[in-house]
């Protein structure tokens, strides 16, 4: 089963700039996949399209067999997105951030409470559940972002630089948590500026540059060629 299948995907923004010039990408279910490339390469554009935040200009995207155009609600419910910027309400408690998110997905209250507890425990935040989120450390805020993205039990988790700006100790502990989430069956696509992060977590990799996929292979054979 493919978690993600992209064919000839193009994006031209309103100002005429072509950010994606026809990309093909396949991610198998269960994979931990790295999407790398320099600033401006088109990673956020691709992630935006996969997450239904940006409209494609042409091409096709299928998520767990659901075509993004024809079956958008089903495709969307498969996806949990962790955007780069911390964007929860900093005056909400940790628990209410997750409960609100579950509410957006229409999750019944009892299940929402269960999922919130599970996700907070998974990200080692359960004892912070009643803390107002602006009082959390940077690393904890990053983990709230991940916990929130998991509350509706997405099959595909997209992490856009999830450890940006946190120090190395915290980053390592987050790697362990992400690895556990993947081992429990969630497919993960990761973008990062830390090559070490992609190397230690990801089995397959695509590199995007100037709107083209310039590399699409498994991590081992890529590293062997470097
Ligand atoms: P779309 O074609 O998807 O509707 P637009 O071209 O209308 O996208 O741009 C959406 C928003 O992004 C606009 O507010 C635009 O000003 C802004 N924007 C324009 N250029 C850039 C850029 N290079 N990087 C980021 N945002 C940009
Ligand atoms: P990355 O995430 O790899 O840094 P992006 O997908 O954010 O790359 O951007 C790819 C290119 O598209 C950049 O040159 C950026 O300036 C441009 N871009 C991004 N958003 C917009 C927009 N809304 N309007 C016009 N250009 C954009």
């Amino acid at each position: 089963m493919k978690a993600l299948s992209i064919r000839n995907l193009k994006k031209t923004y309103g100002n005429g700039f072509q950010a994606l010039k026809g990309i093909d990408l396949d991610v198998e279910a269960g994979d931990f996949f790295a999407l790398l490339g320099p600033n401006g390469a088109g990673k956020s554009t691709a992630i935006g399209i996969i997450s239904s935040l940006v409209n494609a200009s042409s091409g096709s995207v299928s998520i767990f067999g659901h075509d993004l155009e024809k079956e958008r609600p089903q495709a969307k419910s498969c996806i949990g997105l962790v955007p780069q910027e911390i964007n929860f309400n900093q005056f909400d408690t940790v628990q209410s951030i997750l409960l609100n998110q579950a509410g957006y997905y229409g999750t019944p209250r009892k299940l929402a409470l269960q999922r919130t507890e599970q996700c907070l425990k998974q990200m080692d935040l359960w004892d912070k559940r009643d803390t107002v989120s602006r009082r959390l450390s940077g690393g904890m805020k990053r983990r709230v972002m991940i916990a929130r993205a998991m509350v509706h039990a997405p099959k595909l988790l997209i992490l856009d630089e999830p450890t940006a700006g946190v120090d190395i100790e915290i980053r390592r502990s987050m790697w362990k948590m992400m690895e556990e989430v993947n081992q429990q069956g969630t497919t993960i696509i990761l973008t990062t500026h830390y090559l070490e992060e992609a190397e230690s977590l990801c089995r397959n990799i695509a590199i995007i540059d100037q709107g083209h996929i310039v590399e699409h292979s498994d991590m081992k054979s890529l590293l062997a060629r470097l």
Side-chain angles (χ1 to χ4, degrees):
M1 182 68 172
K2 289 226 188 316
L4 176 67
S5 179
I6 291 179
R7 290 293 171 271
N8 201 17
L9 184 66
K10 295 182 183 172
K11 173 62 183 180
T12 305
Y13 281 107
N15 63 358
F17 184 83
Q18 201 177 7
L20 295 177
K21 298 169 181 163
I23 66 168
D24 295 327
L25 195 64
D26 286 291
V27 177
E28 295 294 330
D31 203 355
F32 205 135
F33 191 94
L35 181 62
L36 304 187
N39 278 331
K43 301 179 299 291
S44 297
T45 301
I47 286 171
I49 292 170
I50 297 163
S51 320
S52 286
L53 300 172
V54 174
N55 282 316
S57 302
S58 65
S60 70
V61 177
S62 167
I63 297 154
F64 282 94
H66 300 294
D67 184 276
L68 198 53
E69 293 300 318
K70 298 185 192 112
E71 299 179 281
R72 193 174 290 269
Q74 293 92 325
K76 266 176 98 164
S77 72
C78 290
I79 289 187
L81 174 65
V82 178
Q84 271 176 43
E85 304 298 324
I86 288 168
N87 63 356
F88 48 72
N89 183 338
Q90 305 250 347
F91 294 95
D92 282 349
T93 65
V94 169
Q95 180 158 242
S96 63
I97 289 167
L98 270 73
L99 287 173
N100 287 342
Q101 180 80 354
Y104 292 136
Y105 283 92
T107 311
R109 183 77 182 172
K110 201 174 158 202
L111 182 59
L113 286 164
Q114 276 174 14
R115 287 291 312 160
T116 294
E117 182 174 343
Q118 275 173 15
C119 295
L120 288 179
K121 283 183 173 165
Q122 188 136 36
M123 287 296 128
D124 201 12
L125 286 168
W126 181 237
D127 58 347
K128 299 286 177 196
R129 62 189 175 278
D130 294 323
T131 303
V132 174
S133 58
R134 75 189 162 90
R135 302 206 176 278
L136 299 174
S137 69
M140 286 177 192
K141 286 178 186 172
R142 292 265 160 210
R143 274 145 53 203
V144 171
M145 292 290 287
I146 300 175
R148 183 184 63 171
M150 297 196 306
V151 83
H152 66 293
K155 292 191 209 168
L156 173 60
L157 193 58
I158 301 176
L159 307 171
D160 196 358
E161 307 208 14
T163 65
V166 305
D167 64 43
I168 183 69
E169 288 300 306
I170 313 268
R171 193 175 311 139
R172 289 224 171 88
S173 76
M174 288 177 70
W175 292 354
K176 228 176 131 196
M177 292 175 205
M178 291 187 260
E179 224 154 27
E180 272 170 26
V181 170
N182 177 244
Q183 276 161 9
Q184 287 166 11
T186 306
T187 309
I188 298 182
I189 297 177
L190 172 83
T191 82
T192 178
H193 275 96
Y194 306 107
L195 190 58
E196 192 195 353
E197 181 163 302
E199 263 186 62
S200 67
L201 291 174
C202 300
R203 288 185 286 279
N204 290 293
I205 180 169
I207 299 175
I208 183 166
D209 191 19
Q210 295 182 37
H212 294 285
I213 299 279
V214 295
E215 178 75 46
H216 194 323
S217 69
D218 64 285
M219 187 64 80
K220 272 190 194 146
S221 63
L222 175 70
L223 291 173
R225 275 184 280 128
L226 287 180

